[in-house]
Amino acid sequence: MGDNNLDLWSKISATTIQALEEKALKPIETQYEFLKENNINFLIRILDNITRKEKAKKIQKKQQKESNYNPFLPYEEELYVDDLGDNHVCILNKYNVVNNHVLIITRDFEPQENLLNLADLESFWTVLQQVSGLGFYNAGPLAGASQPHKHLQVIPFPLAPNFQGFPMEKLVLNHRSKLQDFDIVTLDELPYVQAIAFHNLLGKSSLECAKITEEIYYKMLDYLTIENNGKTSLGNYNLLITKQWMMMIPRTKPKAQSISINSLGFAGALLVKNQEQLEIIKEYKPLHILKQVGVEK
């Protein structure tokens, strides 16, 4: 897919079609329903058949134990979308729930716990500026990172048919008029510790966007007292990035009541393996589960 005349979104779409034909992409079929709590319309996806992904993960874990196996080194050619500068590559997420879900990976191995740097964010913005969607980073295993190799993700809208944006967005945007750009605050409506900030990136290059969001990112780490040694984060966290705002959530464990949570959970989109787990969410409620994997206020 090296045709520079194609824009990135066209390349993502074309690569997806080809990878589906070649069966390199293994989409995970889901059903979904909405669950309302505190005026947030949570999107709950229920896996139709997780066996394939779980089998693949077991094989992968075995390979990792045997030889530090890394699915990104080398990545599958059929999943390759484009180079992003000298240090990053854009590839399709092999086990995708939403079509055209992409990963921005470092070309060479870097740990997922490493702090994001300007090059990471510039590559990320190169993608997000061309994709209408949500960007996120699962910083470490407690934050739901399934691979130890540094990678950011962008998932395009809609997350479900006829569904605008994502569930948590309305709540966040309600605070837009009260806040200046770069102000970092915690939303009182959420029962777990988090920080949000708004930014205005209209008409800016991906490098300018990266510089602005890098500054907010470091302020958020300080605000939430997520310790780091200048290179690696000692605490795990989730980071959500949109064209208008950012949110960071410190993490204490990867799952609650058997339900695994990554950044998408804090965007209001949860994934459950079966009907049993769906009933657990209905019983405990989404915000309670998010509070259990984060830091309770």
Side-chain angles (χ1 to χ4, degrees), residues 19 30 56 60 67 98 114 119 128 165 192-193 200 211 213 216 239 250 259 264 274-275 281:
T30 60
Q60 216 174 69
S67 61
V98 175
N114 271 16
L128 196 61
Y192 48 84
V193 173
N200 183 0
K211 284 177 177 169
T213 47
I216 297 170
L239 180 68
I259 294 156
L264 286 174
N274 48 40
Q275 208 63 33
I281 289 191

Side-chain angles (χ1 to χ4, degrees), residues 158-211:
L159 298 186
N162 308 315
F163 184 68
Q164 296 299 308
F166 54 95
M168 206 60 81
E169 190 161 41
K170 197 173 160 195
L171 171 65
V172 175
L173 292 177
N174 282 345
H175 292 262
R176 183 70 181 108
S177 57
K178 300 170 237 171
L179 297 174
Q180 302 290 318
D181 286 348
F182 304 119
D183 284 351
I184 295 176
V185 296
T186 290
L187 302 186
D188 293 340
E189 297 95 324
L190 298 174
Y192 48 84
V193 173
Q194 30 64 35
I196 67 152
F198 289 93
H199 47 64
N200 183 0
L201 306 174
L202 212 60
K204 292 187 164 43
S205 68
S206 50
L207 179 58
E208 288 171 315
C209 292
K211 284 177 177 169

Side-chain angles (χ1 to χ4, degrees), residues 215-273:
E215 192 183 327
I216 297 170
Y217 168 73
Y218 277 99
K219 280 183 180 171
M220 281 183 162
L221 289 168
D222 285 346
Y223 180 88
L224 295 168
T225 60
I226 296 173
E227 287 184 46
N228 68 80
N229 61 12
K231 185 180 182 184
T232 304
S233 174
L234 306 178
N236 287 195
Y237 58 91
N238 292 114
L239 180 68
L240 301 175
I241 308 181
T242 78
K243 292 184 174 89
Q244 289 178 279
W245 53 269
M246 292 166 65
M247 179 186 274
M248 188 182 281
I249 308 102
R251 291 292 298 272
T252 51
K253 48 186 180 183
K255 56 172 76 173
Q257 314 298 336
S258 81
I259 294 156
S260 298
I261 302 287
N262 66 10
S263 293
L264 286 174
F266 290 97
L270 292 97
L271 186 67
V272 295
K273 290 182 181 182

